[in-house]
Amino acid sequence: MLLSGCAAKDNAAGAPAAPDRPAAPAAGAAQAAGKIRPIAKPAKDIPFVTLSCKKGEDITQTLRDTLADKRRILIPKGTYRITGPVSVPSDTVIKGEPGTVLKVGGFPKMDIMYGAIPEGAPLEHVFEVSGARSENGGPAEPCDNVTIANLSFVAAEKSSSWAAVMALSVRSLTLENLDTDGMSIAYLSLADRLRNGRLSFFSRNKITSDEYLNRNVMILNCSANGKGKERVGAGIFIEYCRDFAVSGCRIENCRRGIELHGGEQHRVNYEKDSFVTVKSGAVTGCSVRQIEDDGIFAQRCDFITVKDCRVSDSRMGAGISFWGSGDFRAEGCRVSDCQTGYCTGQNCSGNIAIVNCRSGFAGRKAGYGARHYYNGNSKVIPSSARIVIENCEFEGNIAGYIGLSGPAKGIVFKHNRCVNAMIEVLEGNKNGEGIESNITVEKNTFEDHTEGIDSLTAAIYADIRTGTSLSVTGNTFKGDHGLGISIIDASPGGGGKAHIDGNTLEGYNTDISVGARNGITVTGGDFRGEIQKI
């Protein structure tokens, strides 16, 4: 039964008016980046049903009733209320005319114990696109072929956490031109999460094949402004998903911007045969700003590309952070004024590339928040693991740091420009034993204009260990004080190796300094001094 005289009527014209917003990026680009097949659409000759409601009315039940037998719904321009979740079946299109606003609030109150819901999960949601959970533990029957587009959502209350769309076990989902105020855009997970209308934990040990995962998901030209409201998590949260693309989205004032969360994969101890639950995805052309934690965060993922994105003012985290178990590539990205520009951590077989990117500090104070790049440690790294940082710029008005420490077996840093930024290589641990690794610093330019308490220790400062080989060749260094290259081996056994050749150094008090506790091997023609005993 329809409420308050609100009704639905067929639209013989067959399609809604074109939105007054920029067109979404071509699907072909997203498909190429994220390996996504074209998403099927309902036949164009099926007419839209237009909801006929007064502005300000509650259209929750109207939507539910209409979706019982109609699959193409147009919500006319105006502001309407949503007071409960709306389930969306397969083969459905829901669109709004330009200027359609859904004011979300007044949901039935439910007591939720702290820690009772999974990480990133919203307490409430507007549209529920959910497959049917399997009772025998197998993959869910997916909800297939759904489009939700051209709608604005406004959270009317501060005391809860909403997502515009909660998608669980879906195939072929498109979210396009959705704007949210005080809430997140989307939460993607599995139907197994849903128990008695609430998201909950489940046994992850059975998720062992791609048949369980969401796939063919496109989130295009959407925006989220958390407005600093309580419990607004990630603007977009994706877990248990493959073959997806997030393109042209804008996120601000949330805890995290875009989160790809593979943290509950089967065997979370990073073994090489772990099943990765977030894979084959692309984040392109997105803008993230004023985030409390990480701007774009991918955890334990595989084959992830982040391209042409802009991240600024991640107050307590990294602009782009990848802690993954496979391949990751950042290309053409710009990060500024974050605690750390780019942060990576290799697990298992990861190959990481950061190409044509930029990191800058224009407005932050010196100190811990001045890391352009940091690579974390892991215990399981095969000989093939590699990090390449190429054709990038690292620049700031304060001293910045680029951490090229292990655990990668091969790190290549070449053709980059570093202004007021030093490379740190810290390869030891508390036992004084190093990680077997090869680090190449080749054909870069270093310029140092820092002074006073913000001065750099050296353009390159390397504390290497047994098993570490560092090559510094063909670089150009320009400074007006301090050290150009400083390399030490303080490990009890010694045995570190350094090759220094073909570099140009100007303006330093000391061009190259080498020291060792129990021996270091230095080759190349640049170092002609004595190895200092430390």
Side-chain angles (χ1 to χ4, degrees):
M1 181 174 181
L2 306 181
L3 301 179
S4 304
C6 192
K9 62 181 181 180
D10 288 337
N11 180 1
D20 58 350
R21 306 185 55 165
Q31 289 165 211
K35 302 178 182 178
I36 299 175
R37 65 174 173 82
I39 295 177
K41 301 291 184 183
K44 291 184 178 181
D45 57 351
I46 300 177
F48 272 80
V49 170
T50 301
L51 297 186
S52 179
C53 294
K54 295 179 181 179
K55 294 179 180 180
E57 280 190 321
D58 183 350
I59 64 169
T60 308
Q61 192 60 43
T62 302
L63 282 169
R64 292 169 178 167
D65 293 342
T66 305
L67 285 167
D69 60 359
K70 303 293 183 181
R71 292 295 182 267
R72 288 166 69 84
I73 296 176
L74 176 65
I75 305 176
K77 179 179 180 179
T79 298
Y80 308 95
R81 291 184 295 120
I82 295 289
T83 56
V86 176
S87 295
V88 180
S90 294
D91 301 315
T92 295
V93 177
I94 300 175
K95 289 189 175 184
E97 289 182 340
T100 301
V101 178
L102 304 181
K103 192 173 182 179
V104 183
F107 280 43
K109 301 296 183 182
M110 293 187 67
D111 293 330
I112 303 295
M113 294 181 60
Y114 178 78
I117 63 172
E119 180 178 350
L123 296 179
E124 310 285 0
H125 56 274
V126 179
F127 292 112
E128 179 182 313
V129 186
S130 180
R133 181 167 57 89
S134 172
E135 296 300 330
N136 62 10
E141 180 67 28
C143 186
D144 190 17
N145 195 26
V146 171
T147 295
I148 302 174
N150 306 336
L151 295 169
S152 294
F153 300 79
V154 178
E157 303 171 5
K158 295 183 179 180
S159 59
S160 191
S161 166
W162 281 288
V165 178
M166 181 180 73
L168 308 175
S169 299
V170 298
R171 303 287 189 272
S172 302
L173 171 69
T174 298
L175 306 179
E176 186 173 356
N177 294 335
L178 303 183
D179 294 335
T180 65
D181 187 314
M183 60 195 300
S184 62
I185 298 165
Y187 172 85
L188 268 76
S189 188
L190 297 183
D192 294 74
R193 281 249 187 258
L194 202 59
R195 296 287 194 279
N196 299 320
R198 281 291 181 267
L199 295 168
S200 60
F201 295 95
F202 65 95
S203 174
R204 60 179 176 264
N205 293 329
K206 65 182 181 182
I207 310 300
T208 57
S209 77
D210 287 357
E211 293 303 311
Y212 287 88
L213 305 183
N214 297 283
R215 67 178 62 184
N216 299 312
V217 174
M218 300 180 72
I219 304 176
L220 309 174
N221 285 352
C222 296
S223 70
N225 189 337
K227 292 290 182 68
K229 290 187 177 180
E230 183 182 359
R231 293 190 59 82
V232 176
I236 297 171
F237 184 97
I238 297 175
E239 67 175 1
Y240 296 102
C241 189
R242 63 166 299 163
D243 302 336
F244 62 91
V246 179
S247 182
C249 294
R250 304 171 303 283
I251 313 290
E252 59 183 314
N253 294 313
C254 297
R255 185 176 67 87
R256 277 181 172 155
I258 299 168
E259 181 168 355
L260 313 178
H261 186 78
E264 285 202 338
Q265 69 189 54
H266 178 62
R267 297 188 185 179
V268 294
N269 58 357
Y270 308 117
E271 293 182 9
K272 286 191 286 185
D273 58 349
S274 295
F275 176 68
V276 181
T277 60
V278 179
K279 63 185 75 174
S280 301
V283 179
T284 60
C286 294
S287 173
V288 181
R289 61 186 295 268
Q290 295 182 347
I291 299 299
E292 190 65 24
D293 201 337
D294 296 323
I296 298 173
F297 176 73
Q299 181 185 34
R300 302 173 197 167
C301 304
D302 201 358
F303 298 109
I304 303 297
T305 297
V306 177
K307 186 175 181 180
D308 297 331
C309 292
R310 304 291 183 267
V311 183
S312 62
D313 298 307
S314 292
R315 291 179 284 269
M316 300 297 292
I320 297 174
S321 180
F322 176 78
W323 293 81
S325 51
D327 289 358
F328 168 77
R329 182 179 181 88
E331 181 178 352
C333 297
R334 300 292 182 267
V335 172
S336 62
D337 294 329
C338 300
Q339 187 185 72
T340 301
Y342 301 83
C343 184
T344 61
Q346 286 182 307
N347 305 320
C348 300
S349 59
N351 291 304
I352 295 170
I354 300 176
V355 180
N356 296 324
C357 291
R358 180 182 174 86
S359 172
F361 298 102
R364 295 184 67 94
K365 302 295 184 182
Y368 188 74
R371 288 191 177 274
H372 292 290
Y373 172 77
Y374 170 76
N375 185 52
N377 291 322
S378 178
K379 296 180 180 179
V380 186
I381 301 297
S383 59
S384 61
R386 195 163 185 249
I387 296 174
V388 176
I389 302 174
E390 185 175 9
N391 293 326
C392 295
E393 293 187 14
F394 303 94
E395 184 174 1
N397 59 356
I398 58 175
Y401 301 89
I402 303 166
L404 298 187
S405 303
K409 297 295 172 50
I411 299 178
V412 177
F413 187 87
K414 64 180 180 179
H415 299 137
N416 302 294
R417 180 173 179 261
C418 305
V419 179
N420 299 332
M422 66 177 287
I423 287 178
E424 285 185 320
V425 179
L426 305 174
E427 287 285 43
N429 59 30
K430 64 182 181 180
N431 297 319
E433 299 175 353
I435 301 171
E436 183 180 347
S437 60
N438 293 282
I439 301 171
T440 299
V441 181
E442 180 182 14
K443 296 180 180 178
N444 306 281
T445 61
F446 296 85
E447 301 175 29
D448 180 9
H449 309 299
T450 59
E451 57 184 2
I453 62 171
D454 293 338
S455 295
L456 297 176
T457 303
I460 297 178
Y461 176 78
D463 185 356
I464 64 177
R465 294 290 189 267
T466 305
T468 302
S469 296
L470 172 64
S471 175
V472 182
T473 60
N475 302 282
T476 299
F477 300 84
K478 295 182 180 180
D480 53 16
H481 61 273
L483 279 168
I485 301 172
S486 177
I487 302 174
I488 63 171
D489 183 342
S491 59
K497 299 177 182 179
H499 180 72
I500 313 170
D501 192 60
N503 301 285
T504 302
L505 297 99
E506 298 179 1
Y508 296 97
N509 296 337
T510 302
D511 288 344
I512 303 173
S513 173
V514 179
R517 179 178 176 184
N518 272 320
I520 184 173
T521 300
V522 182
T523 59
D526 290 355
F527 179 65
R528 299 181 179 86
E530 295 184 358
I531 298 175
Q532 301 175 24
K533 184 72 174 178
I534 60 174

